[in-house]
Amino acid sequence: MKKQKIIAIYGKGGIGKSSTASNVAAACAEAGKKVMIIGCDPKSDSSITLFGGRRIPTILDLLRDGVNINEEDVVFEGFAGVKCVEAGGPEPGIGCAGRGIIVSIQKLKSISGDLLKEQDLIIYDVPGDIVCGGFVAPVRKGFVNEAYVLTSGEYMPLYAANNICKGLSKIGMPLSGIICNSRNASREEEIVTKFAEEIGSQLMAFIPKRQVVQDCEREGYSVMEKAPESDIADIYRKLGKAILENNNKVTSGSLSDERLRELTN
Amino acid sequence: MTGKEISIIHPRPSSIVAALYTLRDLNVDVAILHGPPGCSFKHARLLEEDGIHVVTTALDESGFVFGGHDRLVELINKSVELFNPKAIGVVGTCASMIIGEEMHEAVLEANPDVPVLEVEVHAGYHNNTKGVLFALESALDAGIIDHKEFERQEYLLKKATDVEKKFGAASKEYLAPSRGDVKYKVAKRVLQLLKEGKKGLVIMNAKKETGYMFADITLAVNEVAAALGKKENLINMANIDPSLGLPRVRQHAEYIMRDLKAHGVEMHEIIGGMDEYPVAGEMVSELIKEKYSDFDFAVITGVPHAIPMEHIRNMELISVTNGPRQVLPLKELGHEHVLVEIDLHPKTLGVSEIVESEFGATLREVAKET
């Protein structure tokens, strides 16, 4: 039996985790893989571009209504057959989003155990900052076996990425690669490649900044659906393939603040 | 999809506590509560009477903020050192579960030489039987119980929950606690019934160790009947089958049977094991339908509301519960006299013989007077 890939993509808020996750998911599904994307952000917008801009009901919303939840109530098939789930969560400033992630992952496991096992690739789209225990639930309770960190070549996103790498090694989660989502910073590919090497990992892909990604998202679609012929669609296809074939796992190192400054200057 | 459960506003039994009691039934020596020092205090204290050590990681404000992993590892090690246990339970609480503590990682790190049952539980469930179920699942994983016993327990828990929802303390949004009828008056009534030569059923349908006190009522009714020369008018039933349930539960049945025998009480019908109180009522109902439908009265102790009303409706019912919130539902069902053995549970922990009940004592005294 081939090994199942269960991955999580980490990175600074707003760096493009959800759009990378949904495009990679769509690309792998197009290539004939069974793919599931599990959105763990309380904003529940991970899968929105796979449904033409529509939102799907979230696990926590249904739990709050006190109803018995079945698989068909929370697992929806989006573009290219990607199975999509949104954990959901409270509004900002209320309740406990971390507990929400724990509860929804446990619920999903109890109602969709078989479906989860069937997938070739499961992508957990997690919030940018792992601010409390609940945010590690995908790793600990969802059996994530590969973690990727998304960053640009700018200082702040790299700083966040470096912190995340520190965190990952602290919780014993190996790092499988760094993905660069370009923001047109100078020497960006060089900087991120260097960063990846110095922490002992590898650069999986360099995703150039393209207006078409924004345009598709504004309309509520992934690039894979709305602009499948674009160069960026091909890059997502390559990244998907690289992730599916990747066997590299390291206990991530991290850089000192000084070194990080040096690298980005 | 089904609708919401009713929202019950009186405090309800805790799933954390239910998990602790289950660990005790599984003969776990030390239960570690991973949470604040006051969590489940009263029951944790009582359980020590029953031979299980309960300790706590005593999470404080810092623990909530920074997590209690190290503290839990230390406490597992310390517990091994202090108590030399054969099996350890690690039990979650609201606080530790909300902050996402991974007790499993602490257990792996401490890695003691004895089995550890991890119970990820908090008190926020509608039914406290969830805590029992989680503890049993853990025991199943650890190979302490087999699949057959697990399924049996799971079935009983479901039935117990149903009984509580239909006829018990979970049947209404709010139930006021009550001490029930005056024991002196009811004792007099029982004596009168016996004197008049009425035929009576003495049914104990008790939950596990609570039987140590409810059995005293069986004993007392039989004693006063014997003194009046009316013993043959009584039929005794009890759920004390010693071959059913977890080891500790079987032992309770054995001890109670031993004591009843020693006092010359004949047990006419065994209606199940001591964990079968939610289902033994059905058997009682069948037995009455077949053999005892012409009886005049019934003294029912333990979980009287688990006995269907169908075949006892025409009898005068004297029921004894240990739940102050059970009085009202029993009265509504048609139980004429309802008595409460207050604080029964604390008195039945850590004992291995029948202990005196208030109603039993009252009955004996009233019998002396007349």
Side-chain angles (χ1 to χ4, degrees), chain B residues 77-90:
Chain B
N77 291 330
K78 189 167 208 110
S79 297
V80 171
E81 212 180 285
L82 272 178
F83 306 116
N84 193 23
K86 288 187 196 69
I88 300 176
V90 177

Side-chain angles (χ1 to χ4, degrees), chain A residues 187-237:
Chain A
R187 297 189 294 115
E188 198 162 26
E189 188 164 3
E190 183 198 323
I191 290 170
V192 180
T193 306
K194 198 103 179 89
F195 170 74
E197 279 168 7
E198 289 189 22
I199 61 166
S201 188
Q202 56 174 345
L203 185 69
M204 297 294 295
F206 178 80
I207 306 170
K209 190 171 170 65
R210 292 282 185 274
Q211 188 53 39
V212 64
V213 180
Q214 280 302 312
D215 295 345
C216 291
E217 270 183 16
R218 274 183 200 157
E219 286 177 58
Y221 294 95
S222 66
V223 176
M224 303 312 298
E225 185 170 4
K226 211 65 180 176
E229 307 295 332
S230 59
D231 71 327
I232 199 106
D234 256 345
I235 288 169
Y236 285 127
R237 284 186 193 106

Side-chain angles (χ1 to χ4, degrees), chain A residues 87-144:
Chain A
E91 286 172 23
I94 302 170
C96 181
R99 180 71 199 164
I101 300 176
I102 298 172
V103 170
S104 47
I105 289 176
Q106 278 170 341
K107 189 74 204 173
L108 183 65
K109 267 163 70 182
S110 76
I111 58 174
S112 285
D114 289 342
L115 189 69
L116 287 166
K117 280 192 204 102
E118 275 170 26
Q119 304 303 310
D120 299 304
L121 174 67
I122 297 175
I123 304 176
Y124 280 95
D125 185 19
V126 288
D129 297 300
I130 311 173
V131 291
C132 74
F135 289 69
V136 197
V139 171
R140 286 171 168 161
K141 297 191 192 298
F143 306 120
V144 165

